[in-house]
Amino acid sequence: MYDFTVIGAGVTGAGVARALSRYKADVCLIEKADDVSNGASKANSGIVHGGYAAKNGTLKGRLNVLGNRMFEDLNNNLNFGYRKTGGLVLAFDEEERLLLEGLLANGKKNGVKDLEIIKRDRILKLEPNLNPDVKYALYSKDVGVTSPYEYAIALAENAVTNGVDLFLEHEVYDIIKMDNSFELITDKSIIKAHTVINAAGVYSDAVSKMAGVNYFNIIPRKGQYILFQKGTGAAVKSVIFQVPTKNGKGILVTSTYHGNLMLGPNSEEVENREDTGTEEMTLEYIINTALKSLPDFDLKKKLKTFSGIRSTPNTGDFIIKEEFPGFINAAGIESPGLTSSPAVAEMIVNIIKKRINLEKKNSFNPNREPIIKPNSFDVAEIKRRIDLAPCDDRIVCRCEGVTEGEIRDALTRNIDISTKKAVKMRTRAGMGFCQGKFCGPRVDELIERIKII
Ligand SMILES: Cc1cc2nc3c(=O)[nH]c(=O)nc-3n(C[C@H](O)[C@H](O)[C@H](O)COP(=O)(O)OP(=O)(O)OC[C@H]3O[C@@H](n4cnc5c(N)ncnc54)[C@H](O)[C@@H]3O)c2cc1C
């Protein structure tokens, strides 16, 4: 019998599991996929938002600002990749300037610091490649970029280090309420717990209904992206937004944490919660809209397109509450859910503390070593290392300079993975120009060798 069971291993669930692993309690994390970070947490903009956009008075507004302030320390502990870049919301006329004034006022109410409206000369000094027609921008110094799936993986690894049991490939399909506990019926086993935390993302309404709580629905909203080759992200230093529309923050131009230019996302309601395809017409719209911010980028350097599904709740705000003793929803966590996630985890621990006495354990280890080690291999060094006999220094992925040692590290950590996709998310092998054509077979061979031993 677990004290706490968390359903869903995205940034919300993995964050809650890690936060609970600080205490003397038996905790498990249940995920239906064969790896953590399988939902929205693996396909989003990766922006650590400043907190000026989420409406004052909402949970989103409060938790965004709190979460933003926690990222630097978290990254120092967990080494997932985070960089404070600053962000600019561009305005091209007086009407748009009024929208910036609204964001500025909202941000100040939310407690965002370092927020100001700046004019064309300063904007172009900060970002010389932007459209020279820009007139004003809301400048938020607290905006940053992170590697979202590496963040979710780091949270989950550290939770496991601190005693959390992770059950992958366990889909919860029913929740039975007992006297003082719950039975979670999964496709593999029955898991018993005193308290259940629902962090099932786009399926959080379905999981909530399993426990008899059905006052909200999730509206899946797709966002599509175009990602460019490594190095192209140098075109901008900060995250470049346009003024928000009724569908959200609009099309942004950013560098990913790893230096790829990225454009997107749009926002469209979809019926199928697994619909992560991309469509030519939408991609064209994204390119044309992004050109207004950044008039010159090389489409020939396009690497791939992808999309993610937002868990938009019909209530308009995050749903974070104990619905009845022992059943806690962390549902409808759409954007800025990545940014808010550390604060969401803290909020859930505080909800639990109102009912249960949680005692801190001395053995909690907040730290996790990185998998990707920074390197500066030049072409000659990569060529030399590609031909080495199998050893940790051998280069396996020549586009991203990934070594055999990094892949061995990923495959032998405390989350049991054995797919190329899982290795790719942890090491970047296969994320480069050739998209895994060169390294794919080598990674397969390593998986076989390392996992069989
Ligand atoms: C296009 C897009 C752009 C975004 N950009 C940003 C951004 O820049 N900044 C920001 O702060 N936020 C952003 N967000 C929001 C952010 O990505 C999400 O809020 C966050 O990732 C939600 O995490 P989660 O853990 O709640 O959900 P998820 O990551 O979706 O995780 C839920 C998990 O639950 C599992 N699951 C579901 N049902 C079951 C079941 N029955 N049994 C077991 N497991 C189950 C799923 O497999 C999944 O792994 C964006 C989202 C999208 C889609």
Side-chain angles (χ1 to χ4, degrees):
M1 172 79 73
Y2 286 96
D3 297 306
F4 305 105
T5 291
V6 185
I7 304 171
V11 293
T12 307
V16 171
R18 175 178 186 262
L20 287 170
S21 75
R22 285 179 186 273
Y23 300 93
K24 292 179 184 166
D26 290 327
V27 184
C28 80
L29 177 60
I30 308 178
E31 169 56 51
K32 67 177 179 177
D34 62 359
D35 195 3
V36 303
S37 197
N38 185 58
S41 299
K42 78 160 186 263
N44 58 59
S45 308
I47 310 301
V48 177
H49 287 294
Y52 51 79
K55 203 170 158 209
N56 180 250
T58 61
L59 272 178
K60 282 188 206 173
R62 180 159 65 86
L63 297 173
N64 183 153
V65 174
L66 292 175
N68 175 300
R69 290 180 191 149
M70 294 159 88
F71 256 80
E72 192 136 3
D73 283 348
L74 259 178
N75 185 48
N76 288 339
N77 284 139
L78 299 175
N79 293 296
F80 47 82
Y82 160 75
R83 186 169 64 243
K84 205 183 244 196
T85 57
L88 293 168
V89 188
L90 308 185
F92 291 87
D93 55 35
E94 292 304 315
E95 208 177 303
E96 290 187 345
R97 186 184 61 80
L98 289 180
L99 296 172
L100 298 190
E101 298 282 1
L103 290 176
L104 176 67
N106 188 61
K108 284 191 171 159
K109 277 196 238 161
N110 281 349
V112 182
K113 297 188 186 111
D114 278 332
L115 198 58
E116 59 181 317
I117 293 178
I118 59 173
K119 291 193 181 150
R120 183 179 180 276
D121 286 357
R122 192 158 159 219
I123 300 167
L124 294 176
K125 213 167 167 191
L126 286 168
E127 294 288 352
N129 296 324
L130 293 189
N131 183 347
D133 290 341
V134 66
K135 290 207 162 52
Y136 308 98
L138 180 69
Y139 182 28
S140 170
K141 287 195 182 135
D142 286 338
V143 173
V145 294
T146 189
S147 174
Y149 40 87
E150 286 173 72
Y151 168 52
I153 290 164
L155 288 169
E157 276 185 6
N158 190 243
V160 174
T161 298
N162 287 296
V164 171
D165 289 337
L166 172 65
F167 296 106
L168 294 175
E169 297 184 88
H170 279 62
E171 177 166 1
V172 176
Y173 62 85
D174 205 1
I175 299 175
I176 316 278
K177 172 89 187 77
M178 311 302 278
D179 277 350
N180 285 312
S181 63
F182 297 87
E183 286 190 357
L184 277 71
I185 318 296
T186 80
D187 52 350
K188 300 271 162 50
S189 61
I190 296 176
I191 295 169
K192 297 179 185 181
H194 288 298
T195 297
V196 175
I197 297 110
N198 167 22
V202 79
Y203 294 101
S204 53
D205 54 350
V207 169
S208 184
K209 283 181 182 121
M210 291 175 200
V213 178
N214 54 15
Y215 64 85
F216 67 91
N217 287 314
I218 298 297
I219 303 151
R221 295 192 73 86
K222 180 154 81 168
Q224 303 186 28
Y225 293 92
I226 301 155
L227 187 72
F228 292 73
Q229 290 168 27
K230 198 166 178 168
T232 49
V236 287
K237 289 189 269 310
S238 22
V239 180
I240 311 298
F241 303 89
Q242 294 181 1
V243 287
T245 66
K246 66 175 173 15
N247 281 335
K249 297 183 193 78
I251 301 299
L252 58 84
V253 173
T254 187
S255 170
T256 63
Y257 175 74
H258 290 286
N260 304 65
L261 182 70
M262 187 165 76
L263 316 177
N266 70 317
S267 180
E268 60 190 299
E269 199 174 316
V270 287
E271 277 183 19
N272 180 354
R273 296 173 191 220
E274 304 293 330
D275 174 7
T276 51
T278 56
E279 290 93 36
E280 264 325 302
M281 262 177 64
T282 307
L283 298 173
E284 224 167 88
Y285 158 77
I286 291 171
I287 288 168
N288 289 332
T289 312
L291 279 168
K292 188 176 175 191
S293 301
L294 184 71
D296 192 18
F297 47 81
D298 187 356
L299 273 173
K300 287 200 285 298
K301 294 198 169 159
K302 185 175 99 178
L303 190 61
K304 63 176 278 193
T305 62
F306 68 97
S307 72
I309 308 286
R310 301 174 181 85
S311 306
T312 305
N314 64 346
T315 58
D317 198 3
F318 293 163
I319 299 160
I320 304 172
K321 62 195 276 211
E322 187 156 42
E323 305 287 0
F324 59 87
F327 184 77
I328 300 171
N329 266 325
I333 310 290
E334 60 173 341
S335 188
L338 169 68
T339 313
S340 308
S341 55
V344 171
E346 211 161 73
M347 182 175 170
I348 287 176
V349 169
N350 287 332
I351 288 173
I352 290 170
K353 278 181 176 168
K354 284 189 185 140
R355 198 170 43 83
I356 299 168
N357 184 25
L358 288 176
E359 201 186 326
K360 280 206 169 151
K361 64 187 184 205
N362 293 331
S363 59
F364 177 73
N365 172 6
N367 299 316
R368 171 235 180 221
E369 290 299 312
I371 293 176
I372 299 171
K373 311 282 184 310
N375 68 57
S376 50
F377 302 144
D378 60 15
V379 178
E381 178 65 2
I382 288 182
K383 274 191 180 151
R384 186 186 74 76
R385 284 173 175 245
I386 280 175
D387 293 329
L388 291 177
C391 70
D392 280 357
D393 287 342
R394 184 172 72 121
I395 295 272
V396 175
C397 167
R398 61 184 177 189
C399 303
E400 294 284 327
V402 182
T403 64
E404 184 170 323
E406 287 166 317
I407 293 175
R408 178 188 305 285
D409 185 10
L411 284 166
T412 52
R413 290 201 170 201
N414 58 13
I415 299 179
D416 188 19
I417 51 151
S418 54
T419 65
K420 240 181 338 209
K421 193 177 110 211
V423 169
K424 182 176 169 180
M425 284 210 293
R426 285 160 174 80
T427 65
R428 298 189 60 74
M431 292 225 188
F433 178 65
C434 82
Q435 290 286 287
K437 285 193 191 73
F438 174 80
C439 67
R442 291 171 152 226
V443 173
D444 277 338
E445 181 260 320
L446 272 172
I447 291 173
E448 216 175 300
R449 178 149 52 89
I450 292 167
K451 294 312 272 192
I452 285 172
I453 288 169

